[in-house]
Amino acid sequence: MVVSQLPSSLPAAQAVADVLGRQQDRESAARTYARTLPIVPVHADGMVVQGADGRRYLDCLSGAGTLALGHNHPVVVDAIRRLLDSGAPLHVLDLGTFEKDEFTTTLLDTMPGGPEGWRLHFCGPAGTDAVEAALKLTQIATGRSGVLAFTGGYHGMTAAALAVSANVGVKTPLPRAAIEVTRLPFPYDYRCPFGLGGALAADLAARYAETMLTDPHSGVVPPAAMILEPVQGEGGTVPAPDGWLREMRRITAAHGIPLIVDEVQTGVGRTGAFWAVEHAAVVPDVLVMSKAIGGSLPLAVIAYREELDTWRPGAHTGTFRGNQLAMVAGSATVRHVREAGLVERAATVGDRMLRELRLLQGQQPAVGDVRGRGLMIGLEIVEPDAAPNAIGARPAAPELARRIQAECLDRGLMVELGGRHDAVLRLLPPLTITDLQVDAVLTRLAGAVQAATSGYQGTRR
């Protein structure tokens, strides 16, 4: 039975409670979004999600950045329907098809530096699978094993992807990772690891990275790769400075280290460039892609420079590499994003939202920092009455962040949390967000902050 509406025999509240109760009883303790968003979606269109209780919500999660065009966009639905109606095979392993050929052509046309000189490898269905493939590829190509990664980075939950990620909370319960990782400081103005912030801190971070590679007593063996995000997503929506990113490209090139750029969440126009590395005019050696490139369906791909294509047949395989539905949905999404000017739209709308949210920051001391790029925006929530440190940062306020998230949901706004202590409100609206929806998001968010901070006593940490 396809359940797209309430069972007619039950009141809405009871039916929703039953579904949520069974989910809690049947599903693992590792579920996340379901804990803070206790709704049962039954209909979705663009940015609007309707729950089984009849309430409508503005979705600022977009499937953690997957839904570049929002829910059920006509160009995506039509592409999927045409394939289903055609009778084409839906599962083909890695065989060549007309659908795949169209997708690879469309995708390669977006590559930084142009379509020539790249190879594509289709991975399993998730971004973490693509990260695993990228790490394996560079290890095989270089004959080395270690990896340079960064504080605040997030690259997935499988073995090597988790090893290069930075969240201590999810790594601590596990045995020591098989891959050797050297952790470098990522520029993060609000909580600068050097206690400085700004251009000087970014310069120090770059100098430190280069020292680790040139000092014969640094303890760092020449690595197989460096992996980074041009905007850290789960790390708290922290954009890399363009100059620092160019320095990472210069350093890795000078030392013969492949640069892997993880654009799983930043890609397909989200930051106001089709790929976020384009802001810095950087061309990586490996580009990791997932989420939006599948047009809302599971798909993960790496693009890499052809000189790295040294692995043998079968060196990295997977049963679900040939998702035909995701490829046609992805082709339709990529074309529409480019042809409809949604990359430029993300830049313009993102700039407006950042300006207005910084006005909110000036009115609300609980908003410690507002940052982002394009339609990838974060508000760091802090203890409003705590004393700031030497560079003006107050302690993170995760309890208050959760209260604001709950107040947002009460007002019909879905947002997620991330960053240090899960104290960053993250906004990832679809690139199709309208001006009226922007107004509604800003109004509801401001109201939620006001309501959550009213009477808030703070916590001692």
Side-chain angles (χ1 to χ4, degrees):
M1 177 178 66
V2 177
V3 181
S4 58
Q5 58 186 8
L6 292 171
S8 58
S9 59
L10 290 176
Q14 184 61 54
V16 170
D18 288 350
V19 168
L20 296 179
R22 285 192 292 271
Q23 181 184 35
Q24 181 173 339
D25 292 341
R26 294 170 177 174
E27 296 185 25
S28 83
R31 54 187 203 288
T32 53
Y33 300 103
R35 295 180 182 275
T36 54
L37 300 169
I39 63 175
V40 177
V42 295
H43 188 268
D45 180 18
M47 192 178 177
V48 179
V49 172
Q50 182 176 327
D53 58 0
R55 293 196 63 195
R56 291 158 64 87
Y57 302 87
L58 290 177
D59 181 3
C60 267
L61 279 73
S62 298
T66 299
L67 303 172
L69 303 181
H71 295 272
N72 295 321
H73 193 283
V75 303
V76 173
V77 173
D78 288 348
I80 293 172
R81 184 174 289 120
R82 283 196 303 271
L83 182 66
L84 290 173
D85 291 344
S86 74
L90 300 182
H91 188 283
V92 293
L93 297 170
D94 66 356
L95 299 180
T97 66
F98 291 114
E99 292 78 18
K100 179 189 279 191
D101 185 64
E102 179 186 14
F103 176 77
T104 57
T105 300
T106 303
L107 188 62
L108 286 171
D109 281 344
T110 73
M111 287 294 104
E116 302 302 324
W118 294 95
R119 293 288 183 271
L120 298 176
H121 183 81
F122 288 83
C123 313
T128 190
D129 302 306
V131 170
E132 296 282 342
L135 294 171
K136 183 188 290 187
L137 169 72
T138 55
Q139 288 173 327
I140 292 171
T142 64
R144 304 191 291 260
S145 60
V147 179
L148 302 176
F150 291 89
T151 55
Y154 176 78
H155 303 286
M157 286 289 180
T158 51
L162 185 58
V164 295
S165 298
N167 189 331
V168 173
V170 294
K171 292 156 70 83
T172 300
L174 300 172
R176 184 176 179 274
I179 187 171
E180 183 177 354
V181 178
T182 299
R183 192 76 51 187
L184 300 172
F186 190 90
Y188 179 8
D189 276 356
Y190 191 70
R191 301 200 183 279
C192 175
F194 303 110
L196 295 169
L200 178 57
D203 182 59
L204 286 175
R207 287 172 181 263
Y208 182 82
E210 190 157 31
T211 297
M212 290 295 97
L213 296 170
T214 56
D215 180 358
H217 284 247
S218 69
V220 177
V221 176
M226 173 188 283
I227 185 168
L228 58 81
E229 299 160 274
V231 181
Q232 290 190 339
E234 304 305 318
T237 315
V238 185
D242 290 343
W244 175 86
L245 194 53
R246 286 190 286 268
E247 276 295 281
M248 294 304 100
R249 173 68 286 189
R250 179 191 66 79
I251 290 167
T252 52
H255 293 274
I257 301 167
L259 176 62
I260 303 171
V261 173
D262 181 342
E263 292 244 21
V264 167
Q265 194 165 96
T266 53
V268 193
R270 173 137 312 267
T271 69
F274 197 90
W275 302 109
V277 288
E278 293 175 324
H279 292 291
V282 162
V283 178
D285 298 298
V286 186
L287 192 66
V288 179
M289 301 167 280
S290 187
K291 293 191 185 292
I293 64 159
S296 78
L297 299 179
L299 189 64
V301 184
I302 59 171
Y304 55 90
R305 304 306 299 171
E306 58 188 0
E307 56 268 24
L308 295 174
D309 197 28
T310 58
W311 47 14
R312 297 178 179 178
H316 195 80
T317 63
T319 303
F320 294 102
R321 291 174 289 162
N323 189 331
Q324 297 281 91
L325 287 173
M327 288 178 191
V328 297
S331 295
T333 296
V334 170
R335 285 196 304 270
H336 189 74
V337 166
R338 301 182 81 188
E339 294 168 2
L342 295 183
V343 176
E344 297 77 12
R345 171 76 178 163
T348 300
V349 175
D351 286 346
R352 177 197 163 189
M353 293 183 73
L354 284 170
R355 285 195 305 271
E356 299 202 27
L357 290 170
R358 283 170 181 150
L359 293 176
L360 176 65
Q361 178 187 2
Q363 300 161 3
Q364 293 285 356
V367 181
D369 193 31
V370 173
R371 55 182 179 260
R373 203 152 204 178
L375 289 175
M376 192 171 181
I377 296 171
L379 291 79
E380 185 149 354
I381 306 303
V382 299
E383 295 292 351
D385 297 324
N389 65 15
I391 58 172
R394 291 184 171 88
E399 178 186 325
L400 180 55
R402 288 191 292 271
R403 290 177 58 162
I404 295 172
Q405 183 188 36
E407 291 285 352
C408 283
L409 193 64
D410 285 346
R411 287 161 173 76
L413 179 62
M414 298 165 60
V415 299
E416 68 170 327
L417 301 178
R420 272 64 167 185
H421 309 288
D422 278 337
V424 177
L425 288 172
R426 301 187 58 218
L427 304 179
L428 294 163
L431 278 56
T432 53
I433 186 173
T434 67
D435 290 338
L436 287 177
Q437 288 170 336
V438 171
D439 294 339
V441 168
L442 294 170
T443 299
R444 295 177 193 187
L445 180 56
V449 173
Q450 176 63 40
T453 55
S454 179
Y456 176 71
Q457 299 298 312
T459 59
R460 295 185 179 274
R461 291 168 51 84

